[in-house]
Amino acid sequence: MATATRHPEASVQAELERLLTVAAAEGGPFHPATLARLDRDEAFPDDCCALLDTFGLQQYYVPARNGGRLADVAAFVALLRTVARHDLTVAVAHAKTLLGAVCVWVAGSPEQTARTAAAVRDGAVVSWALTERHHGSDLLAGELTATRTADGWRLDGEKWLINNATRGDQLCVLARTDPAGGARGYSVFLVDKAALAADQYTYLPKVPTHGIRGADISGISFTGARLPQSALVGAEGTGLETVLKSLQLTRTVCTALSLGAGDHALRLAAGFATRRELYGRTLADLPRVRQILGRGLGALLLNEAVAVVAARAAGALPGELVVTSAVAKAFVPATTQETLDSLGELIGLRAFLTEEYAHGMFGKLERDHRVAGIFDGSTPVNRSSLIQQFGSLARGYAAARADERGTALAAALTEPVADLDLSRLKLVAAKGCSLVQSLPATVRRCAGLVEAGLLPAPVLEAARRIEALADRLHTDMAPYVPAPRDVPAAAFRLAERYEAVFAAAACLHLAVHNQDRFRPGGTHRLWRDGLWLRACLGHVLRKLGEDPGTDAEQAYGELAALLAAEPDGTFSLLHQDTESTR
């Protein structure tokens, strides 16, 4: 098998899908029976990860400017989604190296970055050691210490619930370097376990988890671990800043896990509904079942719109990624989980039996996603981050402040975005969020598409309703004064509404910047008559507590018909209607 560096860039996702499809045949490492056995045994998916190594997926964990292939974040999200579509545990276990190394990409020295990049390209596993047993996501309470010595540093303490803590070759460790702690009291260190004496670290046992059972979720304890001066990543005291910037990329990438889970769940549910007979007809013939399937596909396409725009924004609007990443990481997993819940009810008891249907893949998928959804910050954690930005977001919306070039690049699917440059990330989006702040202007542009006959009138009606709700939302956000702790429940409700408005803005930007796809006779079936857009805007209205209207319900029915006709298909806003992309 050739490495990824030999794949034509335009076809790498399709080639990965073909490789995994072959590996999913009976007896292969990705066959459902094999994956079910690994799950029951809580065994690490070694053969699956080895296959991804052979393919060269690790090349995409290294930024292009550091000799890797990570240039367009959206392209990488598509690759990771492909793996997650087959198995979430494998996706999490393998891709953890990107999350582990990202602090080096953000703040490492040229020499440190070069060494790490070479190691990752050669298959080294890097883990991210952030959390501790008694402090969870409260990074400022971390107790593991790094103390200066005559020739470097000494690590003491433990990190717990760490993915690949035991299997990892290297770890990026957040350590307290100032006994007083505080925002400038922490630093990041790159620890090469091979350079440590055997008595300087101990593994903490693998932790049994509800989902992602085969992953190496364990911990590590350091006792007098000696590190060279060169192990420090960035300047002393900048650890929290480095971590917060790194999370902007990793949270964006994590949406791929939920997209893949949505793909897998819809295939399982549609396959069950189209093959299960009841009273002389299939389940898929029942109106209520078709509504569930149509809404499920609509939710998947809405999630894809958010994830793709957020991923492209990493290159097009890097200074705003602190907002877009938090929104995407809160919205996409939460919406996917809602879909999994409804599809699980559709399948019924068989969704949770391990032998009755598809080797128990739906139950495994549902458990896996619940765990994956909390990686790199749960929904409440990401909403807390968003809440801290309310002031700049409200001011930016009132002033209609927007980077028009950046928003166009984030949404224009055929336009290349700038290579990922993590040095442009900011801790605060001082100018707000261009994608949302340009919503009124984008609605006006949609009116032009309706007048040109490219979109049906109900799209504009739904867009204008959402614009009015966005106006009201920003009025409600404006007086809020951020508080680091004891955040009121009302603020979280505002954040949830903001996520829905962002989702609508992402959809409308995709519409106006890819309007050729709506033209009659085009090769994008989901775009014909504004099908996906009608369904997605209806989903947003429902999330905002509004009646989506009859047109949205009709769109759900049309999506359900596509899904019933092709239960094993791949449905994406990016795909054209060709046999090779179905």
Side-chain angles (χ1 to χ4, degrees):
M1 175 64 63
T3 62
T5 54
R6 299 180 185 176
H7 297 297
E9 204 65 47
S11 65
V12 64
Q13 183 188 359
E15 186 157 351
L16 178 58
E17 177 60 42
R18 286 192 293 270
L19 174 68
L20 298 183
T21 299
V22 171
E26 187 170 358
F30 277 88
H31 187 270
T34 304
L35 297 171
R37 175 180 54 79
L38 292 172
D39 185 61
R40 286 194 301 271
D41 296 344
E42 299 187 16
F44 191 86
D46 288 294
D47 291 344
C48 297
C49 289
L51 187 66
L52 297 178
D53 284 342
T54 302
F55 182 79
L57 188 61
Q58 67 274 13
Q59 305 289 335
Y60 290 86
Y61 301 159
V62 180
R65 61 187 59 227
N66 302 125
R69 301 195 67 178
L70 179 58
D72 179 351
V73 178
F76 175 70
V77 166
L79 285 176
L80 187 57
R81 175 185 184 177
T82 300
V83 180
R85 182 184 299 140
H86 287 264
D87 190 69
L88 268 177
T89 296
V90 176
V92 169
H94 199 276
K96 183 60 185 180
T97 289
L98 170 63
L99 279 60
V102 69
C103 284
V104 178
W105 313 147
V106 168
S109 67
E111 297 79 9
Q112 195 176 51
T113 301
R115 288 196 306 271
T116 305
V120 171
R121 292 196 305 271
D122 286 342
V125 176
V126 186
S127 181
W128 203 3
L130 291 183
T131 56
E132 299 180 10
R133 188 183 302 270
H134 302 295
H135 306 300
S137 60
D138 187 358
L139 299 181
L140 287 178
E143 297 180 59
L144 182 146
T145 61
T147 307
R148 279 191 176 275
T149 64
D151 57 354
W153 298 87
R154 167 181 168 146
L155 285 188
D156 292 280
E158 72 172 38
K159 292 291 181 177
W160 184 71
L161 282 185
I162 305 303
N163 197 345
N164 283 339
T166 300
R167 301 180 68 88
D169 301 295
Q170 302 178 38
L171 301 96
C172 270
V173 179
L174 180 67
R176 183 187 289 249
T177 45
D178 183 340
R184 291 291 176 181
Y186 292 82
S187 306
V188 172
F189 294 86
L190 180 61
V191 179
D192 183 352
K193 289 191 293 187
L196 298 180
D199 62 349
Q200 293 180 356
Y201 68 97
T202 304
Y203 295 124
L204 306 180
K206 172 176 161 53
V207 180
T209 51
H210 182 64
I212 316 289
R213 290 177 173 177
D216 169 24
I217 309 294
S218 54
I220 188 167
S221 177
F222 297 99
T223 304
R226 299 288 179 172
L227 304 181
Q229 182 63 41
S230 61
L232 179 65
V233 179
E236 182 180 351
T238 62
L240 185 63
E241 177 181 345
T242 297
V243 167
L244 292 177
K245 288 182 176 179
S246 299
L247 284 169
Q248 294 177 35
L249 176 62
T250 62
R251 287 170 173 170
T252 304
V253 166
C254 278
T255 60
L257 302 176
S258 293
L259 292 180
D263 290 333
H264 195 179
L266 276 169
R267 285 183 177 180
L268 290 170
F272 181 80
T274 54
R275 298 177 184 110
R276 178 72 172 170
E277 291 191 0
L278 187 68
Y279 307 122
R281 56 180 178 172
T282 68
L283 281 180
D285 294 324
L286 301 178
R288 174 57 180 162
V289 171
R290 293 178 81 86
Q291 182 187 58
I292 292 173
L293 291 174
R295 288 185 178 181
L297 180 50
L300 174 65
L301 297 174
L302 180 62
N303 281 337
E304 182 181 34
V306 171
V308 167
V309 170
R312 290 179 62 87
L317 295 163
E320 300 179 11
L321 198 62
V322 63
V323 172
T324 56
S325 62
V327 169
K329 183 58 174 63
F331 183 88
V332 174
T335 303
T336 298
Q337 193 60 51
E338 293 168 2
T339 301
L340 296 184
D341 291 344
S342 65
L343 294 178
E345 291 180 7
L346 185 158
I347 299 174
L349 178 63
R350 286 171 176 79
F352 305 100
L353 297 178
T354 58
E355 301 294 339
E356 187 69 19
Y357 175 61
H359 301 279
M361 282 295 99
F362 190 92
K364 176 184 182 305
L365 166 65
E366 200 273 343
R367 288 186 285 102
D368 286 352
H369 186 262
R370 287 189 182 276
V371 177
I374 66 174
F375 290 155
D376 292 48
S378 63
T379 294
V381 167
N382 281 283
R383 285 180 180 158
S384 294
S385 175
L386 178 62
I387 288 166
Q388 303 308 309
Q389 310 283 332
F390 274 2
S392 61
L393 296 175
R395 290 189 296 272
Y397 189 84
R401 187 184 299 125
D403 180 340
E404 294 183 6
R405 174 62 176 164
T407 55
L409 283 177
L413 298 175
T414 58
E415 291 292 325
V417 295
D419 282 359
L420 181 66
D421 182 358
L422 298 176
S423 68
R424 298 175 63 194
L425 299 180
K426 305 294 182 184
L427 294 179
V428 176
K431 296 182 179 179
C433 177
S434 294
L435 289 158
V436 172
Q437 288 154 204
S438 56
L439 175 63
T442 307
V443 172
R444 291 193 293 273
R445 294 185 66 178
C446 282
L449 298 184
V450 172
E451 292 174 3
L454 296 178
L455 285 175
V459 167
L460 182 58
E461 178 186 349
R464 284 173 172 165
R465 290 174 62 192
I466 292 170
E467 180 186 354
L469 293 168
D471 292 346
R472 191 184 313 161
L473 166 65
H474 286 86
T475 298
D476 294 341
M477 288 167 53
Y480 180 77
V481 178
R485 298 182 184 273
D486 300 321
V487 180
F492 285 94
R493 290 193 290 271
L494 290 175
E496 188 173 3
R497 287 164 57 193
Y498 189 90
E499 293 160 21
V501 168
F502 179 98
C507 291
L508 294 172
H509 279 291
L510 285 171
V512 301
H513 292 294
N514 302 278
Q515 55 187 269
D516 285 350
R517 299 188 178 208
F518 291 117
R519 296 194 181 282
T523 59
H524 299 269
R525 57 180 168 170
L526 293 172
W527 293 68
R528 296 169 193 160
D529 299 318
L531 176 57
W532 74 268
L533 186 58
R534 291 156 52 208
C536 288
L537 294 183
H539 206 92
V540 168
L541 285 168
R542 180 176 288 105
K543 280 184 168 288
L544 290 169
E546 300 287 315
D547 182 352
T550 57
D551 184 71
E553 294 296 342
Q554 181 179 342
Y556 297 143
E558 294 175 36
L559 289 176
L562 290 176
L563 192 56
E566 197 179 331
D568 295 324
T570 297
F571 295 89
S572 169
L573 300 178
L574 309 181
H575 286 174
Q576 298 186 23
D577 263 345
T578 64
E579 290 299 320
S580 63
T581 58
R582 290 186 180 184

